[in-house]
Amino acid sequence: MNFGFKDKTYVISGVANKKSVAYFSAKILSDEGAKLILTVQSEEHKEKVKKLFPESQILILDVENAAAILEFGKKIEELGVKIHGFLHSIAFANYSEGIKPFHETKLEDYLQATNISSFSLVSLSNALKTSFDNNASIVTISISDTRATSYGYMGPIKATLDATVAYLAKSLSLDSRVRCNAVCAGPLKTSASAGIPGYINNYLFAEKLTLRRENLKTLEVANTIAFLLSELSSGINATGIKVDAGMSCNHFDNDVVSIVANNL
């Protein structure tokens, strides 16, 4: 399918390696002829991403630094190009002490994770606002169920991100047609998820709950992102699209229930 990306420019955050959602998404856009501006965290990170997308412009950006975000917006303006879409694929949680009960969450950890994983969607969109094409599309990455997650305090933060999508979409609609949506993905096999304590067990369990008995592929999430970044999805705004191979409707799968019941 032709998404209509040829010769259009997109800002992509979060390309880490060939397993990341952002990488798969950027690859689709690049293969369709899009021009990419990628943001990375450090010089070392930049060198790694340059090998993946040697033709793309790569900018170092610390999303915890308000001045750096303003400077980023100015750099994009100076390029004199219209941005047709922005993929926000950034998340962080401090699991250095393992996953604790939610009531034991440290305020500093919660605020840092909220800033990086949720509010950066707002701050980066604001920095890009003057460079957006009037019909630009913003997409962020959430999770399929913010209440059932076992990722510690990231559940409430992703719920904040989901709410932010709608408010950002409404705010941007005051003087543009820029859209903002989320892809709410089920468990994926990525390097980032591998850093979550106990994740592999959750991943294996999730596979049993998908209706096809096969886990979600990162490319499937990226395909949905590409659709939302394209004008093919022009009627979708302020929405979270769940991509989880049917897992969310199958909490009481007969086989899984039987396994648990037979081992009581």
Side-chain angles (χ1 to χ4, degrees), residues 11-257:
V11 173
I12 308 290
S13 67
V15 174
N17 50 55
K18 286 189 174 183
K19 292 183 179 181
S20 66
V21 172
Y23 168 78
F24 277 89
S25 304
K27 187 72 166 56
I28 292 171
L29 269 64
S30 179
D31 288 348
E32 291 272 344
K35 299 174 183 177
L36 305 180
I37 299 173
L38 310 173
T39 72
V40 297
Q41 300 169 332
S42 64
E43 190 64 45
E44 180 183 4
H45 186 191
K46 181 178 180 179
E47 291 305 311
K48 292 179 181 179
V49 173
K50 188 183 293 185
K51 294 177 182 177
L52 300 176
F53 297 98
E55 303 300 320
S56 299
Q57 183 159 9
I58 304 173
L59 301 176
I60 297 174
L61 175 61
D62 176 6
V63 298
E64 293 187 86
N65 186 323
I69 291 174
L70 288 175
E71 184 60 29
F72 165 70
K74 290 178 182 177
K75 284 182 181 178
I76 299 298
E77 273 191 69
E78 290 170 0
L79 292 176
V81 297
K82 282 296 179 183
I83 303 301
H84 293 87
F86 164 45
L87 173 59
H88 173 269
S89 184
I90 307 172
F92 173 80
N94 181 10
Y95 294 128
S96 61
E97 298 178 358
I99 293 180
K100 300 179 178 181
F102 179 64
H103 62 272
E104 294 181 12
T105 303
K106 293 180 179 178
L107 176 60
E108 58 268 31
D109 289 343
Y110 193 87
L111 293 178
Q112 182 187 33
T114 300
N115 186 19
I116 296 172
S117 308
S118 178
F119 190 74
S120 64
L121 172 65
V122 180
S123 56
L124 291 175
S125 296
N126 188 44
L128 291 169
K129 188 175 182 300
T130 56
S131 296
F132 277 136
D133 178 80
N134 193 51
N135 291 302
S137 175
I138 300 168
V139 180
T140 189
I141 312 301
S142 187
I143 56 178
S144 59
D145 193 331
T146 59
R147 290 181 294 179
T149 180
S150 60
Y151 306 159
Y153 59 90
M154 278 302 287
I157 291 172
K158 286 293 188 179
T160 299
L161 178 64
D162 289 352
T164 297
V165 164
Y167 278 89
L168 182 57
K170 286 196 280 187
S171 179
L172 292 170
S173 72
L174 295 175
D175 56 7
S176 78
R177 293 166 61 93
V178 175
R179 299 178 292 120
C180 184
N181 294 291
V183 172
C184 305
L188 293 169
K189 195 173 184 179
T190 65
S191 297
S193 62
I196 302 172
Y199 184 85
I200 186 61
N201 288 341
N202 295 320
Y203 181 78
L204 295 173
F205 175 66
E207 185 166 44
K208 299 300 182 183
L209 294 183
T210 63
L211 298 181
R212 66 191 186 190
R213 301 297 191 272
E214 179 186 339
N215 254 323
L216 189 64
K217 294 180 174 62
T218 307
L219 179 59
E220 292 174 314
V221 176
N223 283 336
T224 307
I225 292 168
F227 167 67
L228 288 175
L229 286 173
S230 77
E231 293 187 11
L232 295 174
S233 62
S234 60
I236 303 175
N237 198 6
T239 297
I241 295 183
K242 192 170 290 187
V243 184
D244 68 355
M247 181 185 71
S248 54
C249 80
N250 199 32
H251 293 306
F252 291 93
D253 178 83
N254 287 335
D255 292 341
V256 174
V257 169

